[in-house]
Amino acid sequence: MPPSADTAATGAPAPAAPDAGPGGSDGGLRLSSLTKRYANGFTAVHDLDLDVPRGSFIALLGPSGCGKTTTLRMVAGLEVPTSGRITLAGQDITDRRAHQRPVNTVFQNYALFPHLDIYENVAFGLRRRKVRDVESKVRAMLELVELDSQARKRPAQLSGGQQQRVALARALINEPEVLLLDEPLGALDLKLRRSMQIEIKRIQVEVGLTFMHVTHDQEEAMTMADTVAVMNGGVIEQLGAPAELYENPRSTFVANFLGQSNLIEGRVLSRSADVTTLDMHGITVSVPTARTHTDGDRGWIGIRPEKVLIGEEGADLDAPGNTVPGGVVSDVSFVGVSTQYLVRMPWGQELQVFSQNTGRTRMFTVGEKVELSWRPEYAFCLDINQDAAAGVDDGETR
Amino acid sequence: MTAWLRERMVLLLGLGVLAYTFVPIAVVVLMSFNEPAARNVYSFDGFTLHNWANICEDAAMCEALGLSLRIGFLATLVATVLGTLAGFALVRHDFAGRSSANLLIFLPMAAPEIVLGSSLLTLFVAAGASGLLGFWTILIAHIMFCLSFVVVTVRSRLAGLDDTLEQAAADLYATPAQTFWRVTFPLVLPGILGAALLSFSLSFDDFIITNLNSGNETTFPMYVWGAYRVGVPMQVNVIGTIMLLFSLAVVVTGELVSRRRRRALV
Amino acid sequence: MTQAAQAVPETATLAAEPSGSRRRRGRTGYLLMLPATLWLLLFFVVPFYSLVATSLFDASGSDFRGYEMTYAWGNYVDVVEAYWQPFLRSLWYAALATGICLVLGYVLAYAIAFKAGRWKWLLLVLVIAPFFTSFLVRTLSWQLILSDEGFVVDALQFLRVLGPDDRLLATPVAVVAGLAYNFLPFMVLPLFASLDKIDPRLVEASSDLYAHPFVGFWKVTWPLSLPGVVSGTLLTFIPAAGDYINAEFLGSTNQRVIGNVIQGQFIDANNSPVAAALSVLLMVLIVAMVLVYVRRAGTEELL
């Protein structure tokens, strides 16, 4: 198994949590040693620790079967953990049943009650708790999601995007301690999904509640959440702000699942406090020691395709340090904002290069000899024992 | 022209089959307005409203009809309640012997009516109750054979119910009882009503089982059976027509109500 | 290692029923099941046992004098010798009627599922509507239609399909036609349920892959509709095999079926052991045929 990841969100920024104390756990959600094992022996979630500060927006990101949905359902009270505790706002809620928890869920397929109209769907939770002022609260909530004119329609009469907003409103109106979103945008088309991502994020900032969002779509996770937990095989592989995860992945799974990475085998030559130098198929390259996540004498040298510069042989590229000659362009895809190259290296591996379409450099053609280079500070180095293809296919969500 | 025909061939054939199923029905409706020249002559001799105006001309027929209605109503009530409970147990609960229970539900539907009827008769005889054959034995038999159909109908409706709806209700602070009465039950209700309608028509229509277990009582189908040699009164066709119209009305109303609910305020 | 986790993918989280929420354990299940189970045990299982017992009574007794339990297996031999003809006739008529129902029902169900568009529900209502007119009244109506003076015989005689003295009523043709007519809805509904689930794009895909429409039907639609075919044929065959109303109203003494015999032995001849033996035999035969049939069709899960 990959190394069990960071387990506390101590480094995670929580901009929308002004009242969160140090460590951010006072009013937040804390999962400790949470484990879910099914009767058939499959362990969906394995000894998971997670601290979600109040008012933050966390995304659980991972491929199907990674345990993210099971984690969410345990928080909702829809699944009983095999072991471990769930604490919310200082109270242990592990043994409370779903209807007794101040937690609400936006379900994957919305789960709107087909026999009730929109108004009654939204009012459902308030009525169960015998809250006063149902009328004004529901009206206000429907206005927030811009559905006030649809109050008396039934769910089946609404479009997918509208149903999605009803599901959100139905959960939000209860002002839960934590709002759980279970792949809430999966059924929407790309354009609508983009606008809903922004919409949900806006609402989260507006209401200031804790949101926990489950998704397999890395772009969605990075767009919406301020903290992303990448899950794989029932454990959190890495936790952090989107940019941090992307720039400094600690495992091959994270490197491949979040965006794409070139992983090239290298042998460690020397380590200092600042820089680790490696031999990469006869070329000496350096990686910041702070981004070197292996103690072994070999490692995967990782570099994101858009960080790689491509030039003619002998060209002077603005990337002192790591220059790799001898590449031959084997494929060119022009995608508008950029050109994506595959470059076959002397050692046989094909590297990906994304070149921004700034107009300052010319396009290369298949068969041309080129030179690649990148700034050392963008590179990272991972444990050679990890599978270089981990998370590659899972990341292709669209 | 040929393309038009080829495109609609299957539909036309299907409508043809449907039309075929309505030929006898059309005759029933037609004969309900017949004024027969003699009691056992079966040809359309003249149009009259007499049969409709004097449904109970033959008191025995109406007596039999009354019995069938009473039995049908009670059998439907009991079978629907017991069957609905069992349907819930089978879909929503786990208990030892669940698969045997499913088999027990299935078997009565796989047995020909004549076998069901003769089994019950031998039981009543063996229990020394042959003198008691009548209303109650008919009712017992009807509940028995309606039960399985109710269970199957309710079970499939429940199994088709998205259980995330119930999870959503629990998530929205509904207690298990509230979840049941506000979400589960309303959503299963159409299935229960359908099962009840099916029960009633099965009960009202049954002849083979009833005939063996009825003692001296006469249900409507038994009356028809007994009367057909001497000539069935035309009012029988009136009853057939009324049954048809009634059930059509129920089904169509049900469908329209559920459509209006879906389409309201579009 | 990540591959291993994906091999047991979300199915584990979905199929392994979320504990506690879906199928609950505990007493409630038993309580809910109890009344229906009791009713069926008392009035279906126990009677069947008593039917088997009765079939083994000494046949020389009578309903009035009582019977002796002699384990008279010979009853079965006797009834087979005496009544093998109506027995075979019942099964034969039922099989014929089922075949006709399958052809007619398939066309109708197919038309409703794929060609009816927005009129689907209305056509379905029309399929079940005849079912709500009393069975006996319906069959009597057939008697009228097929009678010697009826328009069908006139038309067939005019077309020289029937000779001037031929008739339809009181022939096997009439009985089988009546059975096929009466049990058609039992065939159409399961067929429709199966066909309606089939994605029409599958058929389009098959024609895209060079299948002639008939081949596409045979390779795609038909196999996918098999569950409906199996349950439809069972729902038609079983009641048809035990029915005697059609034989009585539309046939003659030459078309006596096993239902007539059983009914007569019980009610008119007061010979319970013989009637019971016939019933048991009918049930056993039908169950055996159903099992063989279902196994051959590969649809055991229906049971």
Side-chain angles (χ1 to χ4, degrees), chain B residues 14 21-22 24 27 42 91-94 96 98 106 110 118 122-123 205 211 225 228-229 247 255 259, chain C residues 22-25 30 43 50-51 108 110 121 126 132 134-135 141 144 181 238 248 263 266 279 286 303:
Chain B
T21 68
F22 271 87
V27 172
Y42 293 97
V91 178
R92 288 300 157 89
H93 293 270
D94 204 6
R98 220 169 60 88
F106 170 78
S118 44
T122 60
L123 176 77
D205 223 16
N211 193 33
W225 176 266
Y228 102 95
R229 284 173 202 280
S247 48
E255 178 67 25
R259 286 189 159 214
Chain C
R22 205 176 149 83
R23 280 215 179 110
R24 287 180 286 268
R25 301 199 141 270
Y30 292 99
F43 302 118
S50 107
L51 180 74
L108 182 50
Y110 188 93
W121 74 275
L126 291 179
F132 287 110
S134 170
F135 191 102
S141 174
L144 209 60
Y181 170 74
I238 294 170
E248 182 77 25
Q263 151 84 19
F266 265 124
S279 281
I286 284 183
L303 289 184

Side-chain angles (χ1 to χ4, degrees), chain A residues 167-229:
Chain A
L168 190 63
R170 188 178 71 171
L172 269 180
I173 196 167
N174 303 293
E175 297 172 21
E177 289 288 336
V178 182
L179 184 84
L180 304 172
L181 301 117
D182 182 8
E183 303 252 9
L185 306 177
L188 304 181
D189 65 55
L190 186 60
K191 231 174 156 177
L192 198 53
R193 191 153 48 191
R194 287 275 169 273
S195 69
M196 282 307 296
Q197 284 171 6
I198 295 164
E199 180 77 2
I200 290 177
K201 196 173 170 173
R202 179 183 67 79
I203 290 174
Q204 194 262 342
V205 172
E206 210 169 300
V207 297
L209 298 173
T210 312
F211 277 35
M212 183 183 242
H213 179 199
V214 155
T215 180
H216 66 269
D217 179 345
Q218 42 113 359
E219 266 185 71
E220 187 173 300
M222 293 200 283
T223 312
M224 295 167 74
D226 40 51
T227 309
V228 175

Side-chain angles (χ1 to χ4, degrees), chain A residues 13-207:
Chain A
D19 56 346
S25 65
D26 293 351
L29 172 71
R30 169 174 278 170
L31 312 180
S32 22
S33 310
L34 205 59
T35 298
K36 176 70 190 183
R37 197 174 297 115
Y38 286 101
N40 62 9
F42 176 66
T43 304
V45 177
H46 182 72
D47 200 22
L48 186 118
D49 290 299
L50 181 64
D51 229 335
V52 185
R54 187 169 198 179
S56 64
F57 193 147
I58 186 171
L60 303 182
L61 172 68
S64 53
C66 73
K68 56 190 194 296
T69 299
T70 309
T71 306
L72 179 113
R73 291 172 60 87
M74 286 193 284
V75 175
L78 299 171
E79 304 236 8
V80 182
T82 312
S83 63
R85 310 306 297 174
I86 302 168
T87 323
L88 182 56
Q91 286 184 313
D92 187 333
I93 59 163
T94 317
D95 299 322
R96 286 209 216 157
R97 302 182 56 185
H99 67 273
Q100 297 160 328
R101 298 186 185 202
V103 170
N104 291 110
T105 310
V106 178
F107 287 83
Q108 184 164 19
N109 50 6
Y110 316 138
L112 300 180
F113 304 123
H115 60 301
L116 302 178
D117 61 21
I118 302 313
Y119 183 96
E120 285 303 326
N121 262 283
V122 174
F124 194 91
L126 297 181
R127 295 209 195 280
R128 297 292 81 72
R129 288 185 305 154
K130 311 223 177 335
V131 171
R132 284 180 206 188
D133 269 348
V134 171
E135 172 80 26
S136 62
K137 287 198 167 98
V138 172
R139 291 287 165 204
M141 183 50 68
L142 286 177
E143 250 166 64
L144 180 72
V145 294
E146 293 161 11
L147 284 174
D148 26 343
S149 59
Q150 319 281 330
R152 289 301 166 194
K153 286 192 184 171
R154 286 182 189 257
Q157 296 164 242
L158 299 190
S159 69
Q162 289 173 323
Q163 292 185 24
Q164 213 288 325
R165 298 213 294 273
V166 177
L168 190 63
R170 188 178 71 171
L172 269 180
I173 196 167
N174 303 293
E175 297 172 21
E177 289 288 336
V178 182
L179 184 84
L180 304 172
L181 301 117
D182 182 8
E183 303 252 9
L185 306 177
L188 304 181
D189 65 55
L190 186 60
K191 231 174 156 177
L192 198 53
R193 191 153 48 191
R194 287 275 169 273
S195 69
M196 282 307 296
Q197 284 171 6
I198 295 164
E199 180 77 2
I200 290 177
K201 196 173 170 173
R202 179 183 67 79
I203 290 174
Q204 194 262 342
V205 172
E206 210 169 300
V207 297

Side-chain angles (χ1 to χ4, degrees), chain A residues 5-6 228-230 236-240 244-245 248-251 254:
Chain A
D6 255 12
V228 175
V230 181
I236 296 180
E237 290 242 350
Q238 193 173 347
L239 181 84
E244 184 192 331
L245 288 181
N248 189 6
R250 292 169 189 226
S251 68
V254 178

